[in-house]
Amino acid sequence: MQLVVSELLKELVLLRRLRHPGVVQLYGQCYDNSAHPDIRVTAMLELGSPLEMIQLLQTTWEERFKVCLSLVKLLFYLAHSPLGSIVLLDFQPRQFVMVDGNLKVTDLDDASTEELSCKDDNDCMLDFPTKSFILKCSAAGKCEGINEKKNLFNAYRYFFTYLLPYTAPPGLQPFLSDILNATGDLRYGINETLRAFEKVLHLYKTGIYLQKRPPLLQEYISLQGFRTRETQDYKCWPSYSHLGCLLSVHNAEEAAGICNSQPQCQSFIVTQQRTWTGRPLAAFRSHLPDLIPDANAAIYIKRSASSREKL
């Protein structure tokens, strides 16, 4: 029991020292030596929801990328923390929670700042179930970057491989493949990985990733000053709404391309709603709904649909 208390106190010290958006907040703690051993140490932590990978796989690519980017930023911090390079020895998805849509590590009882001592490179073996790596033994007799590399490969095998590639925008897939290959072979350290993720984020937010193609918006009639009533319509996956097809887009041109690729789609509106990247959400419709005046909105209707409806 004394060992359990000691481990908990060690974890609380880490939570106090590590201040980062990716580390769950410690609000307070108390130690009562006269209390029963089971309740001698009490801590109040930020409340989060357990990370459910199956549920996460059903979300949009943009939300899954956010989780991976948050994890990379956390691992960058742990590699350069005030306490030295920190490794999560029992790195599992169950160590993380979601707080207001953000990933946070909540279990630090197996975290360590110790780096493996060595005499030569053969002492710096990093073993995983499917791969092994030999790292460099430094002149100081320590395995260079072993804590950082262990965290990074675990992030690759538990998070990146499942969350990054699936339903990713085609224009970003080569960059994501590079990240997967480089982290899966440990050719990247955490610094290079963070730069690669930030490059993908830049390409996505600016729309540079969009593949060049003939303009599609000219196939639509634009009705400025109108929006549609939110009603149930055809579903698409993954959608930001259970009522219909609501997707993140860079602009109306990209929305037109999505509408053209969906046989049910006859119109769309780029809404005022924004995702965490600042991109607007577009609602796609299978019919021409009632229009509501809105000076800040515009609805785009396929010319073919417009002619059929004789608008």
Side-chain angles (χ1 to χ4, degrees):
M1 182 58 67
Q2 189 61 36
L3 179 62
V4 173
V5 172
S6 175
E7 287 293 321
L8 181 55
L9 288 173
K10 171 196 161 189
E11 185 174 9
L12 294 178
V13 169
L14 283 174
L15 288 171
R16 277 203 312 270
R17 295 289 302 277
L18 300 177
R19 295 294 182 179
H20 186 268
V23 178
V24 73
Q25 267 191 280
L26 174 66
Y27 292 134
Q29 67 182 81
C30 61
Y31 182 82
D32 186 355
N33 199 39
S34 64
H36 188 277
D38 289 347
I39 57 172
R40 191 164 289 171
V41 181
T42 306
M44 182 177 292
L45 301 175
E46 187 176 21
L47 184 63
S49 305
L51 183 67
E52 300 287 350
M53 291 297 287
I54 298 299
Q55 187 176 5
L56 198 53
L57 285 167
Q58 297 171 0
T59 62
T60 64
W61 176 83
E62 191 170 327
E63 292 304 310
R64 285 181 273 120
F65 179 78
K66 178 185 179 183
V67 168
C68 292
L69 177 60
S70 298
L71 179 58
V72 170
K73 289 181 176 179
L74 170 63
L75 297 188
F76 179 85
Y77 174 76
L78 294 180
H80 305 283
S81 87
L83 304 177
S85 182
I86 297 175
V87 62
L88 303 176
L89 294 173
D90 185 27
F91 193 117
Q92 300 278 347
R94 64 173 178 266
Q95 286 185 292
F96 298 87
V97 295
M98 298 298 292
V99 180
D100 297 327
N102 298 303
L103 182 77
K104 293 179 182 260
V105 63
T106 187
D107 186 357
L108 291 174
D109 60 345
D110 287 313
S112 174
T113 57
E114 292 183 20
E115 292 195 305
L116 191 64
S117 297
C118 59
K119 293 181 179 178
D120 57 44
D121 292 354
N122 290 324
D123 294 329
C124 298
M125 180 72 75
L126 198 52
D127 279 318
F128 296 97
T130 58
K131 278 189 176 183
S132 295
F133 304 92
I134 296 179
L135 305 183
K136 293 286 185 183
C137 180
S138 72
K142 296 289 184 180
C143 296
E144 287 185 3
I146 192 166
N147 289 350
E148 170 189 331
K149 292 292 181 74
K150 187 168 187 177
N151 284 341
L152 187 55
F153 189 81
N154 279 324
Y156 159 79
R157 68 184 181 127
Y158 286 120
F159 287 85
F160 300 167
T161 54
Y162 299 107
L163 302 181
L164 277 184
Y166 193 47
T167 68
L172 293 178
Q173 287 175 4
F175 301 96
L176 297 173
S177 293
D178 288 345
I179 290 175
L180 288 169
N181 291 332
T183 54
D185 293 336
L186 286 186
R187 286 185 285 108
Y188 278 1
I190 192 59
N191 295 357
E192 296 88 351
T193 303
L194 180 57
R195 282 197 294 269
F197 267 84
E198 288 177 337
K199 179 179 180 179
V200 170
L201 179 61
H202 173 73
L203 295 174
Y204 187 64
K205 290 174 73 171
T206 58
I208 297 173
Y209 73 96
L210 291 170
Q211 297 169 333
K212 290 184 178 180
R213 59 188 175 192
L216 299 174
L217 207 54
Q218 60 192 18
E219 300 174 18
Y220 291 77
I221 296 172
S222 172
L223 296 181
Q224 300 292 328
F226 291 95
R227 63 178 174 86
T228 59
R229 196 183 307 278
E230 188 175 1
T231 57
Q232 192 162 348
D233 208 305
Y234 79 93
K235 307 291 194 302
C236 66
W237 189 88
S239 174
Y240 281 86
S241 170
H242 66 280
L243 290 176
C245 188
L246 187 66
L247 301 175
S248 167
V249 297
H250 176 63
N251 53 22
E253 183 65 37
E254 183 180 14
I258 293 173
C259 189
N260 280 10
S261 70
Q262 298 176 346
Q264 310 99 309
C265 185
Q266 298 300 315
S267 65
F268 67 87
I269 178 172
V270 180
T271 73
Q272 298 299 308
Q273 294 175 264
R274 293 290 186 270
T275 67
W276 67 274
T277 61
R279 286 162 55 100
L281 294 179
F284 299 87
R285 301 285 187 178
S286 62
H287 59 281
L288 302 180
D290 295 334
L291 303 182
I292 301 171
D294 186 338
N296 298 317
I299 185 169
Y300 298 86
I301 304 170
K302 278 184 179 177
R303 292 183 182 276
S304 56
S306 175
S307 61
R308 284 197 302 270
E309 295 286 336
K310 301 185 185 298
L311 286 181

